[in-house]
Amino acid sequence: MTYRHFIDLWHVESAELRAILDEAHRMKKARAGWPKGRVDAGAPLEGHTLAMIFEKSSTRTRFSFDMAMRQLGGSSITATSSDMQLGRGETIDDTAKVLSRYVDAVMIRANDHSDVEAFAEAASVPVINGLTDRSHPCQIMADLLTLEEHGLDLKGARIAWVGDGNNVCASFIHAAPKFGFSLAVGTPKRFAPDEEDLEIAAELQGRIDLFETAEEAVAGADVVIADTFVSMGDTDAERRLEILEPYAVTAELMELAGKGAKFLHCLPAHRGEEVDEEVIDGPNSLIFDEAENRLHAQKAILRWCLDK
Ligand code: CP
Ligand code: NVA
C-alpha cells in the first residue's frame, strides 16, 4: 500500500501541495448544491475508515473530517484519548500498531507535537496532524483554498498574521515558501514565532517579515489573519490577554491594510478580544467559507495520503 503522512506542510513538496489544493477546488465544485451526506462520484475512499483521536476539544476538525470520509464513501471512528487506554498509559507505539490493524488512516489532535511524530513513526497507515501545540497544517490548506476562491493569487500575495505567534501561525510560516506568498507577522517579542519555524522558512527561501506592532505587519496586506490569544493548553491566560491586547484586529487596523483586504480566523473566535465584531462579522470576513473549506481541503488531503 502506498501512503503518506500529513504532519507538517514543510515535509510536502510544493507541487504536491498545489495538486492537493487543485483537487480540493475540483471536488468542491463537482458536488455544488448536493445534499451534504451524498457520496462523491466514484466514492474514492469506499471501504476505507479513518480513526480520529482527540486529546483536546474540537468542533470543526471533528465534524469536517467525519463528513469528509462520508463524502468520499468511507467512514470514521472518533475517540478522545481519555476514552482510550492511551489515557491510562498504553504506549503511543502500541496504540499506533494496533490501530494500523483496524483502520486505513489516523487523524490525531494532540497536546504534544512529538506524540504525533512518534505515532506516525510506529504506524503503518497514514497519520494526519489535526492540530498540535506546534502546528495546524490542515487549517492552512483550508485557508489558502478560501483565499483562492475569493480571487487571490497566492504567488506574490502579502498575508499578515497578528497576535500570538502560535501553532496556526507556524503552519502559515511553513506554507509561505511552498506557495510563494510573503508573510508579515506582527507579535510582541514574548509571543514571536518559534526560531525553528523561521529557520525552516529561510531554508526554503520563504519571505517572512517580523514586526513588533500589528500596524506595521498589516500595512498594505491583502489578507489579515487573527487567532485566539489563548490557545488550548496555554496556562497564562491573564498575562497573554494583557500583552496581546494591542494586537486586536479592529476596523481601524483593517484600514491600514490594502483596499478590500480580507479577514481570516480559524475559529473559535472571541469577539471583542482578538478581533472586533465589526471586522469578523463584516463584509470582508471569510470565516465561514474558511470553516467550510476544512471539509473540502481535508478530502483532498485524505486522498493524497491514501494515494486514491
Ligand atoms: N479551527 C479548528 O481547528 O477548529 P476546532 O478546534 O473546532 O477543530
Ligand atoms: N491556536 C488555537 C487554534 C484552535 C483551532 C489553539 O491551539 O487552541
Side-chain angles (χ1 to χ4, degrees):
M1 175 182 156
T2 310
Y3 71 88
R4 313 164 174 110
H5 301 306
F6 194 79
I7 308 281
D8 266 321
L9 298 177
W10 60 275
H11 297 150
V12 186
E13 294 296 330
S14 309
E16 306 232 5
L17 290 172
R18 183 64 262 164
I20 292 172
L21 275 196
D22 289 344
E23 184 59 12
H25 280 295
R26 192 197 62 75
M27 281 194 292
K28 181 176 179 182
K29 282 192 198 118
R31 60 172 298 124
W34 288 16
K36 296 182 181 69
R38 188 184 290 170
V39 176
D40 283 341
L45 291 191
E46 188 186 6
H48 290 72
T49 300
L50 172 74
M52 298 199 271
I53 305 173
F54 287 95
E55 274 186 9
K56 317 196 207 201
S57 312
S58 168
T59 297
R60 280 143 289 269
T61 305
R62 177 178 181 149
F63 284 87
S64 59
F65 264 109
D66 184 63
M67 287 308 295
M69 287 305 292
R70 289 174 197 231
Q71 291 187 2
L72 292 168
S75 60
S76 78
I77 304 171
T78 303
T80 64
S81 54
S82 55
D83 294 335
M84 298 171 65
Q85 299 290 8
L86 198 53
R88 293 183 60 245
E90 184 167 18
T91 67
I92 289 174
D93 270 38
D94 286 355
T95 309
K97 286 177 184 152
V98 170
L99 288 191
S100 297
R101 302 289 181 106
Y102 298 142
V103 299
D104 304 284
V106 180
M107 191 286 301
I108 313 177
R109 168 165 287 194
N111 291 311
D112 192 338
H113 192 78
S114 62
D115 286 348
V116 176
E117 290 176 329
F119 198 105
E121 187 69 32
S124 51
V125 297
V127 173
I128 299 173
N129 172 3
L131 180 146
T132 68
D133 57 333
R134 293 208 50 121
S135 59
H136 197 4
C138 295
Q139 180 69 54
I140 277 53
M141 294 300 278
D143 291 8
L144 299 179
L145 184 65
T146 309
L147 293 174
E148 286 190 332
E149 263 178 5
H150 284 267
L152 189 73
D153 182 357
L154 296 175
K155 268 207 169 61
R158 186 168 172 82
I159 299 185
W161 174 276
V162 290
D164 182 17
N166 63 13
N167 47 359
V168 181
C169 177
S171 288
F172 267 108
I173 291 173
H174 303 157
K178 296 287 180 180
F179 289 95
F181 59 83
S182 72
L183 187 71
V185 182
T187 69
K189 258 210 175 92
R190 175 67 192 80
F191 298 119
D194 257 44
E195 283 298 328
E196 217 177 295
D197 295 312
L198 297 169
E199 279 162 25
I200 290 167
E203 264 168 43
L204 297 169
Q205 264 114 53
R207 171 144 179 224
I208 315 290
D209 300 314
L210 299 184
F211 299 99
E212 282 182 45
T213 68
E215 287 75 11
E216 289 168 291
V218 305
D222 300 303
V223 187
V224 176
I225 310 172
D227 187 12
T228 179
F229 288 160
V230 185
S231 283
M232 293 180 277
D234 285 338
T235 52
D236 51 350
E238 214 173 301
R239 190 175 61 120
R240 287 176 160 272
L241 293 177
E242 197 182 307
I243 299 175
L244 288 162
E245 197 187 336
Y247 296 82
V249 179
T250 59
E252 296 77 62
L253 189 74
M254 288 301 289
E255 290 278 308
L256 303 176
K259 207 172 150 31
K262 305 295 185 204
F263 175 77
L264 291 182
H265 189 309
C266 66
L267 305 180
H270 308 80
R271 288 168 173 80
E273 224 165 80
E274 72 271 9
V275 57
D276 281 1
E277 204 169 298
E278 60 187 309
V279 174
I280 194 166
D281 298 320
N284 290 334
S285 170
L286 307 181
I287 55 166
F288 296 114
D289 286 345
E290 182 183 5
E292 176 184 340
N293 281 334
R294 291 292 304 277
L295 165 63
H296 305 293
Q298 287 158 194
K299 286 169 68 179
I301 292 167
L302 285 159
R303 291 187 66 179
W304 176 82
C305 285
L306 288 157
D307 201 22
K308 297 277 175 196

